[in-house]
Amino acid sequence: MDAHKSYSEDPRLPCHYGRKCYQKNPNHHIKYKHPPDPKRKNQYRNNNDDVKRRKMDLTTIDNKKINETELEHELNNIPIEAEPSDVSTQLKVFSNDVSDSDSETESTNPNPINIHSDQKSPTNSSLENGNYFRTKSKEDTTCNHINGHNTEFSKVYIKSKFLFEMPEDFYKFFELCERLNADNPSDALISIGLKLVGPFDVLNGKFCGVDKNSDDYLIHWRYYYDPPNLQTILKGDDKTGYHIGYFRDNPDDKPVFLVENYGMKDGILTPIGENIFGAISSYIEDRKKTCDPFSKMKFNKIQNIIKEEADKLSFDLSRKTKKMTKRNDKVLSRTFNKVGLVVPYERKTQLGYRKLAMSDKELGELLTKIDKAKPEEKSKFLAELQSEILTWTDIACDECDFGTGIELGWDILCHGVDLSHTTSRLLASNFRQLKWEAFAKISEAHMANRKKSCRLSII
């Protein structure tokens, strides 16, 4: 049988990658056909068993249409609600499941909790029944220095509001800052241009009397280019938007390292240490190269204190530790932000991630065209984005390659073009397929209130 004739009569959809397709996922080959290889004879031989194996429900193909309304939403600033695909049977290959108990909802009970000096370690229910820090009195000293009076509660409160558990070095570092500046630990590093922010504000008692919506906490000190994986804990000058934060690959795991970013410049994330002591040490080393002699004395003073405390607590001050280097083996794509994408991936079946249908250079150029286009030209470039990459990314998600959607969402976020609804949909829907609800919620909250400024505190 003529191979080319058989190919044209094959009812399956043609694969976008053609002969260059590397996919071994059986589901991919069931849905898509590939051009015959001239070197292989009888590739499309009339084999009834093979035809039955490859046959799929054609009505499903016919009903799968390009989401043309998404372009209209981006132009008209109308939110889009994503519909998750049915992939329950294939999610078993992933081991990063999150239990339903991790999702906490706030109660509307208006009655604040009465705090006593003999308060025991709180439970999640104590948070649900009211705002622990809603009232403040002279007798109540918990608001002023939470870490010294109720460390366990501050941990539960941070997890409840920011959706992340902070690592040990976070709390140890705050104890050091309390010794350096007892009146205001957040300003302990002000001499070297850094200020403690984000979850540190809880430990410093700044949320005492604050009553915000749950989404507000998720954007507290979240900069314009920050992916949901990043939690800012230190800020620098407002001119550059410099900040440092913990970076996680999985919201339920400990941070893999800390990164720095210039939030008023671009979305590049640079790893600078496995723990906060190492990150600040790296920051100081970089600043000492260009600072004046007087400033260098200040940097040396803080650096010596950091080193002494880190040695005592056995924290590695290296800019790049063995653990950080080992992560490189798991990176599936470099991504625009340069930090690299790590998601659950089955190498044998190549399930979990596939390359974007467009090169980084082509994608960057297209996003720039959309960003700089005149209103009458924008729809043209948005249509190109839809047909050339968004549709194929949605297909990848349908076939459980969730990393592809996360990569595209990251890239659009890092580029800076205002495609908030598309970015939110890509990130939130794919994070939810991986059961990473914390990242999904942060994505939605950030894209709904994204600011390119340094006035990012909700307090």
Side-chain angles (χ1 to χ4, degrees):
M1 181 180 290
D2 184 13
H4 292 280
K5 183 178 180 181
S6 299
Y7 175 78
S8 63
E9 295 175 350
D10 192 326
R12 291 173 293 160
L13 286 174
C15 176
H16 180 74
Y17 297 93
R19 292 197 187 100
K20 295 181 179 180
C21 179
Y22 61 89
Q23 279 289 323
K24 296 180 181 179
N25 183 358
N27 289 336
H28 176 81
H29 290 278
I30 289 174
K31 290 184 180 181
Y32 303 99
K33 62 181 178 181
H34 302 75
D37 188 343
K39 297 180 181 180
R40 293 180 59 190
K41 296 182 179 180
N42 301 324
Q43 182 177 349
Y44 276 85
R45 63 188 184 279
N46 187 13
N47 186 312
N48 291 331
D49 293 335
D50 186 59
V51 172
K52 289 180 181 179
R53 181 178 62 83
R54 293 176 178 272
K55 207 168 186 181
M56 66 174 295
D57 186 0
L58 295 180
T59 58
T60 303
I61 297 176
D62 293 335
N63 291 332
K64 186 171 183 59
K65 299 178 180 179
I66 295 176
N67 185 8
E68 297 175 350
T69 58
E70 181 172 298
L71 305 180
E72 299 176 8
H73 283 286
E74 287 296 350
L75 289 171
N76 300 323
N77 199 30
I78 301 174
I80 293 179
E81 293 185 3
E83 295 182 2
S85 30
D86 183 13
V87 292
S88 57
T89 57
Q90 300 185 55
L91 276 173
K92 294 179 181 179
V93 298
F94 301 132
S95 58
N96 304 75
D97 288 337
V98 181
S99 64
D100 294 334
S101 60
D102 287 342
S103 298
E104 298 180 14
T105 56
E106 296 185 354
S107 173
T108 55
N109 184 358
N111 299 320
I113 296 176
N114 187 19
I115 305 172
H116 301 286
S117 59
D118 60 346
Q119 177 78 31
K120 295 182 180 180
S121 297
T123 61
N124 290 346
S125 60
S126 67
L127 293 174
E128 296 171 357
N129 292 331
N131 191 331
Y132 193 89
F133 301 109
R134 191 168 293 160
T135 59
K136 182 178 181 180
S137 64
K138 293 181 180 179
E139 292 77 16
D140 178 17
T141 58
T142 308
C143 282
N144 296 324
H145 295 288
I146 302 164
N147 189 56
H149 291 77
N150 205 328
T151 306
E152 289 306 313
F153 178 79
S154 62
K155 292 180 179 180
V156 175
Y157 185 87
I158 289 173
K159 174 64 186 298
S160 171
K161 300 301 184 181
F162 294 91
L163 307 185
F164 296 137
E165 288 185 3
M166 305 308 290
E168 180 187 5
D169 59 282
F170 172 82
Y171 295 99
K172 293 297 183 182
F173 185 75
F174 187 76
E175 291 177 8
L176 173 62
C177 291
E178 282 187 307
R179 298 198 297 271
L180 294 176
N181 189 337
D183 293 332
N184 189 3
S186 292
D187 287 341
L189 302 180
I190 207 73
S191 62
I192 61 171
L194 292 177
K195 185 180 181 68
L196 278 63
V197 295
F200 275 129
D201 290 334
V202 175
L203 302 186
N204 207 35
K206 292 187 178 181
F207 276 98
C208 181
V210 175
D211 188 14
K212 295 286 184 178
N213 295 325
S214 58
D215 285 353
D216 291 337
Y217 294 89
L218 305 183
I219 60 171
H220 183 56
W221 289 108
R222 185 161 295 281
Y223 286 76
Y224 187 79
Y225 297 100
D226 288 356
N229 311 61
L230 172 60
Q231 178 64 64
T232 298
I233 57 170
L234 296 163
K235 71 174 290 291
D237 66 282
D238 290 345
K239 183 178 180 180
T240 64
Y242 181 84
H243 59 290
I244 295 174
Y246 287 106
F247 187 91
R248 292 170 169 82
D249 288 325
N250 183 322
D252 303 304
D253 292 343
K254 293 181 180 179
V256 288
F257 43 61
L258 288 93
V259 297
E260 63 180 1
N261 169 252
Y262 293 88
M264 298 301 290
K265 179 184 177 183
D266 56 35
I268 304 300
L269 305 179
T270 306
I272 56 171
E274 185 180 320
N275 56 76
I276 190 172
F277 293 89
I280 295 175
S281 178
S282 298
Y283 166 85
I284 291 174
E285 283 297 322
D286 292 339
R287 297 304 181 277
K288 282 167 60 176
K289 295 175 183 178
T290 57
C291 70
D292 58 78
F294 181 73
S295 297
K296 194 171 185 178
M297 292 175 59
K298 296 180 180 179
F299 282 117
N300 283 332
K301 180 181 178 181
I302 296 296
Q303 188 174 35
N304 290 335
I305 295 173
I306 294 290
K307 186 178 186 305
E308 182 180 351
E309 190 71 9
D311 290 342
K312 187 191 305 181
L313 298 170
S314 299
F315 286 128
D316 192 340
L317 293 179
S318 303
R319 183 184 294 265
K320 193 170 185 178
T321 64
K322 292 181 179 179
K323 180 181 176 181
M324 294 168 65
T325 303
K326 191 175 180 180
R327 177 185 179 269
N328 291 335
D329 298 333
K330 302 177 183 179
V331 171
L332 300 171
S333 174
R334 270 297 123 195
T335 64
F336 280 14
N337 57 28
K338 306 301 182 185
V339 76
L341 178 70
V342 175
V343 295
Y345 179 66
E346 180 57 52
R347 294 191 180 277
K348 186 175 181 180
T349 60
Q350 296 188 344
L351 189 66
Y353 171 79
R354 73 182 67 171
K355 293 181 180 179
L356 294 176
M358 187 179 285
S359 69
D360 288 351
K361 182 180 179 181
E362 292 172 332
L363 177 59
E365 291 175 350
L366 179 55
L367 294 176
T368 299
K369 289 178 182 177
I370 295 172
D371 190 31
K372 297 183 177 181
K374 297 178 181 178
E376 62 270 17
E377 297 177 339
K378 195 169 186 179
S379 60
K380 171 189 172 183
F381 296 123
L382 284 171
E384 185 178 346
L385 180 71
Q386 178 69 59
S387 61
E388 293 296 326
I389 191 167
L390 281 175
T391 300
W392 295 102
T393 302
D394 288 340
I395 292 173
C397 177
D398 288 344
E399 296 182 356
C400 296
D401 291 332
F402 307 125
T404 307
I406 295 172
E407 179 184 12
L408 181 56
W410 270 15
D411 287 351
I412 296 175
L413 180 69
C414 180
H415 180 277
V417 60
D418 186 13
L419 294 174
S420 298
H421 300 304
T422 297
T423 306
S424 178
R425 181 182 68 81
L426 284 167
L427 293 177
S429 62
N430 284 281
F431 280 136
R432 285 198 169 96
Q433 297 288 15
L434 292 173
K435 306 298 183 183
W436 291 350
E437 183 64 21
F439 286 164
K441 287 183 177 179
I442 293 171
S443 302
E444 292 170 332
H446 188 200
M447 291 302 99
N449 192 13
R450 192 180 181 194
K451 299 177 182 177
K452 197 168 187 178
S453 74
C454 294
R455 300 181 66 180
L456 301 169
S457 175
I458 65 169
I459 303 172

